[in-house]
Amino acid sequence: MQRHQLLGGRRNAFVIAACWLAVVFLFALQWFVYDAARAQADPFRYYLWWSFYTWGVLTPLVVTFAYRNPINRANWKRTLPLHIAACFVLVAGEISFEALVGKLRAHHDLTVGHALVHYFSRHAQVSLLTYWLLVGAVELYRMRDQAHKRELRSSRLEAQLNAAQLEVLRSQIHPHFLFNTLQAATTLIHEDPDAAEDMLVRLSELLRISFDESHTHEIPLERELEILDLYIGIQARRFGDRLRFEVSVDPAVRDCMVPAMILQPLVENAIRHGVGKHKGTDTVSIRGLQQDKFLRLEVFNLSSTLEEQTGSGIGLANIRARLEQLYGTAQDMRLRRLDPIGVCAEISIPLRFAPVLLEETAQ
């Protein structure tokens, strides 16, 4: 960080020095061209030397004054007269000094008054133009700097907003999941105390994980499956033989990054609209595989219909919102009808491996 700041400071100093020398050179060039057009030009080195000793000193003064007194729509009635006065005072002083030095250098017989008229008639236009060019350059720099600051501020605000929205979405998921799990454990307290105890132990572990990773938006898929296994154990206790789970994930994608606790609400949705509503048995399958440059996650059950799950509940809406916040348009989520019955929830996100895996691969 310090090295980056040092390089940035040196780069800024170089730019300032280059701009300063450019002003000196351009003033000398303007002056030379102006005199050459009237067949009164001296050698160019004279103009360069004089420009260096005059506008080399005056440029920082003009730039500082212009930066402290910007001309904008809100204050131009106050600052524009200030700049006009400063311009005439500065140019008058600069040309008067130039006339004095020129008289002493040339040893001509012109009086001081005639020397002033001579130099003012030849150089006033160029000096005035140089002043306003410097003021214009400062205003352009200020506009660019303010636009850059607004862009940075907007980016920071957008990042903070996205983080806040993600936290809200996660906080919405947790109470919804907690309510359903506690309700399931309550129904088993008298019927099967051991099963209820197992469910509560699993729930406490899930809560611990959710608190530990409350500020982590992405985790490896392997870790996500471990968290999901706790939830699956709770639901398996609740429904017994009526509910089966199948997990089939390609080992090559287990180290890919996924949104934290993204599978649990999908599995919950499949259970709620499957075995949770219909008598008989059901199978919930979880799959993960690579598809081109994307990770594809699938959760489907074999006893619900697409109409039952379309637009259902806060879980799916939150998943869509979280995916959009994290990946923008580079993601997709949809529900697909299975034949003859059943629904598959599909998620597609960019394929990105965990940083640890990337470091190990590089080594």
Side-chain angles (χ1 to χ4, degrees):
M1 179 63 72
Q2 293 180 349
R3 181 182 179 184
H4 178 73
Q5 293 176 344
L6 180 62
L7 291 176
R10 290 178 178 176
R11 183 165 55 249
N12 290 337
F14 176 78
V15 171
I16 293 172
C19 293
W20 177 71
L21 292 175
V23 171
V24 171
F25 178 80
L26 288 175
F27 177 78
L29 184 63
Q30 291 178 84
W31 192 0
F32 174 77
V33 171
Y34 182 84
D35 285 355
R38 291 160 177 75
Q40 299 174 341
D42 291 319
F44 182 70
R45 63 178 179 275
Y46 165 75
Y47 298 93
L48 193 62
W49 173 87
W50 186 249
S51 177
F52 182 81
Y53 280 99
T54 54
W55 282 101
V57 174
L58 295 177
T59 295
L61 297 178
V62 175
V63 168
T64 302
F65 183 78
Y67 196 81
R68 292 180 178 178
N69 298 275
I71 302 174
N72 53 48
R73 186 162 39 185
N75 65 359
W76 69 271
K77 291 182 179 180
R78 179 182 63 84
T79 56
L80 186 58
L82 284 177
H83 277 283
I84 293 175
C87 173
F88 281 106
V89 170
L90 185 142
V91 170
E94 180 259 325
I95 296 180
S96 298
F97 181 71
E98 179 187 344
L100 177 62
V101 174
K103 177 177 173 56
L104 295 175
R105 175 177 175 273
H107 303 291
H108 47 61
D109 296 329
L110 293 176
T111 64
V112 174
H114 285 88
L116 287 173
V117 172
H118 171 75
Y119 278 93
F120 267 94
S121 64
R122 292 180 63 184
H123 303 151
Q125 298 93 327
V126 176
S127 296
L128 290 171
L129 178 62
T130 301
Y131 178 90
W132 289 106
L133 284 175
L134 287 172
V135 172
V138 171
E139 291 302 319
L140 288 175
Y141 172 80
R142 187 198 312 280
M143 292 171 59
R144 178 180 176 275
D145 185 55
Q146 290 178 346
H148 180 64
K149 289 179 179 178
R150 284 195 299 269
E151 184 179 350
L152 288 177
R153 186 163 55 250
S154 177
S155 298
R156 285 196 296 266
L157 289 174
E158 184 178 357
Q160 292 171 359
L161 177 61
N162 288 341
Q165 289 175 339
L166 283 171
E167 288 303 321
V168 169
L169 293 172
R170 287 172 64 103
S171 67
Q172 289 175 338
I173 290 174
H174 293 166
H176 185 244
F177 158 71
L178 180 62
F179 172 77
N180 286 304
T181 304
L182 288 176
Q183 187 179 41
T186 302
T187 60
L188 291 175
I189 288 178
H190 300 291
E191 299 175 5
D192 191 344
D194 292 336
E197 181 182 1
D198 180 67
M199 290 178 68
L200 293 176
V201 170
R202 289 176 176 271
L203 175 60
S204 66
E205 180 65 13
L206 277 173
L207 290 176
R208 185 190 64 79
I209 291 172
S210 66
F211 289 136
D212 291 343
E213 299 180 353
S214 60
H215 300 293
T216 303
H217 297 311
E218 289 184 303
I219 59 176
L221 179 56
E222 181 71 33
R223 178 59 172 164
E224 177 72 8
L225 293 174
E226 293 174 359
I227 298 173
L228 181 63
D229 184 66
L230 294 172
Y231 178 79
I232 287 176
I234 293 173
Q235 298 297 357
R237 282 287 190 179
R238 177 186 176 190
F239 291 100
D241 295 337
R242 293 182 56 209
L243 181 62
R244 295 178 58 249
F245 291 95
E246 295 179 352
V247 180
S248 177
V249 177
D250 186 349
V253 300
R254 285 180 172 264
D255 291 300
C256 292
M257 302 299 290
V258 299
M261 296 189 73
I262 197 73
L263 290 175
Q264 178 268 324
L266 289 178
V267 173
E268 181 180 7
N269 192 69
I271 295 173
R272 185 169 68 250
H273 293 283
V275 71
K277 284 187 176 181
H278 305 282
K279 295 181 179 180
T281 62
D282 193 8
T283 299
V284 175
S285 299
I286 300 97
R287 295 180 182 176
L289 65 154
Q290 180 178 349
Q291 192 173 57
D292 296 328
K293 295 182 180 180
F294 293 87
L295 171 64
R296 184 184 181 92
L297 300 174
E298 298 178 345
V299 175
F300 57 90
N301 71 300
L302 303 177
S303 65
S304 66
T305 64
L306 185 62
E307 290 73 19
E308 290 175 327
Q309 293 197 33
T310 301
S312 59
I314 192 173
L316 295 181
N318 278 341
I319 292 174
R320 289 191 176 94
R322 290 180 65 196
L323 292 175
E324 185 175 351
Q325 289 288 338
L326 288 171
Y327 309 109
T329 58
Q331 52 79 30
D332 184 43
M333 176 186 171
R334 64 184 63 188
L335 297 178
R336 177 169 56 88
R337 189 192 312 272
L338 299 178
D339 187 29
I341 188 173
V343 176
C344 177
E346 302 173 349
I347 288 180
S348 179
I349 59 175
L351 187 70
R352 293 192 306 105
F353 289 94
V356 175
L357 180 64
L358 292 178
E359 293 175 2
E360 292 176 351
T361 303
Q363 293 175 354

